[in-house]
């Protein structure tokens, strides 16, 4: 009787440790996936400027990396492009967001996918409906570079 109880107790302890090891392995695996997907490779902040005025004027300066949409009249639009190349040895994605009082005037893709070595032009447009007050609107375009795990 004593040997049977001891053998049962040993089996229960063995099963407990097996379940514990499997649970820890699953948790570590899921955590590693989370870490890979949440690791930011790079982050860029690009200043932006838009003026809504009575006369249209534009800025063609190549010296600045800012997105300057110039001056547009009400019920008009303007566009600029950003060139981005994936220099990583794996696919990436860009998460794009805008901040500041300019963000309500902007149109752009929020997520852009890149294969290895791929280069794309990302278009950022601004549009006014007509009821916005004249003035200067500014902010930043925040581009976050992340590893693309959707194909892995």
């Amino acid at each position: 009787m004593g040997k049977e109880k001891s053998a049962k107790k040993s089996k229960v302890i063995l099963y407990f440790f097996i379940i514990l090891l499997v649970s820890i392995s699953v948790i570590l695996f899921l955590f590693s996936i989370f870490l890979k997907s949440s690791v930011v490779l790079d982050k860029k902040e690009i200043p932006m400027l838009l003026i809504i005025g009575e006369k249209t004027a534009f800025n063609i300066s190549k010296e600045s990396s800012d997105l300057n949409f110039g001056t547009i009249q009400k019920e008009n639009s303007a566009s600029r492009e950003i060139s981005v190349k994936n220099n990583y040895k794996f696919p990436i994605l860009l998460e794009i967001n805008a901040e500041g009082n300019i963000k309500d005037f902007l149109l752009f893709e929020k997520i852009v996918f890149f294969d290895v070595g791929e280069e794309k032009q990302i278009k950022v447009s601004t549009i006014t409906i007509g009821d916005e007050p004249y003035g200067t609107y500014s902010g930043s375009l925040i581009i976050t570079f992340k590893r693309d795990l959707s194909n892995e």
Side-chain angles (χ1 to χ4, degrees), residues 1 54 83 127:
M1 258 303 215
E54 292 182 13
S83 180
I127 188 166

Side-chain angles (χ1 to χ4, degrees), residues 15-58:
Y15 288 140
F16 173 77
F17 279 114
I18 290 173
I19 291 170
L20 181 67
L21 285 174
V22 168
S23 299
I24 290 172
S25 297
V26 168
I27 289 169
L28 288 174
F29 174 73
L30 293 174
F31 185 68
S32 71
I33 290 174
F34 170 76
L35 279 180
K36 281 184 181 179
S37 66
S38 66
V39 172
V40 173
L41 301 169
D42 197 7
K43 197 170 196 172
K44 302 281 185 194
E45 184 171 340
I46 302 171
M48 296 182 293
L49 181 68
L50 166 68
I51 300 170
I52 300 175
E54 292 182 13
K55 295 182 180 180
T56 300
F58 55 94

Side-chain angles (χ1 to χ4, degrees), residues 2 19 46 68 73 96 116 126:
I19 291 170
I46 302 171
N68 188 331
Q73 296 175 340
I96 306 172
V116 176
T126 176

Side-chain angles (χ1 to χ4, degrees), residues 19-141:
I19 291 170
L20 181 67
L21 285 174
V22 168
S23 299
I24 290 172
S25 297
V26 168
I27 289 169
L28 288 174
F29 174 73
L30 293 174
F31 185 68
S32 71
I33 290 174
F34 170 76
L35 279 180
K36 281 184 181 179
S37 66
S38 66
V39 172
V40 173
L41 301 169
D42 197 7
K43 197 170 196 172
K44 302 281 185 194
E45 184 171 340
I46 302 171
M48 296 182 293
L49 181 68
L50 166 68
I51 300 170
I52 300 175
E54 292 182 13
K55 295 182 180 180
T56 300
F58 55 94
N59 182 337
I60 56 171
S61 172
K62 297 282 185 185
E63 296 173 14
S64 175
S65 61
D66 296 2
L67 283 180
N68 188 331
F69 294 98
T71 302
I72 62 173
Q73 296 175 340
K74 292 184 178 190
E75 298 181 2
N76 278 296
S77 64
S79 294
R80 298 290 181 267
E81 288 187 343
I82 303 167
S83 180
V84 178
K85 182 176 182 181
N86 178 8
N87 292 319
Y88 294 99
K89 296 181 192 271
F90 45 82
I92 63 169
L93 65 88
L94 303 185
E95 291 179 353
I96 306 172
N97 294 297
E99 296 178 347
N101 64 357
I102 194 173
K103 72 180 177 182
D104 294 333
F105 301 104
L106 300 175
L107 300 170
F108 55 87
E109 289 183 70
K110 305 278 190 221
I111 297 178
V112 182
F113 294 91
F114 287 81
D115 287 328
V116 176
E118 186 175 12
E119 187 170 359
K120 291 184 182 179
Q121 300 295 319
I122 299 171
K123 187 175 186 176
V124 181
S125 299
T126 176
I127 188 166
T128 61
I129 306 301
D131 59 347
E132 299 86 1
Y134 290 128
T136 300
Y137 298 87
S138 63
S140 296
L141 195 68

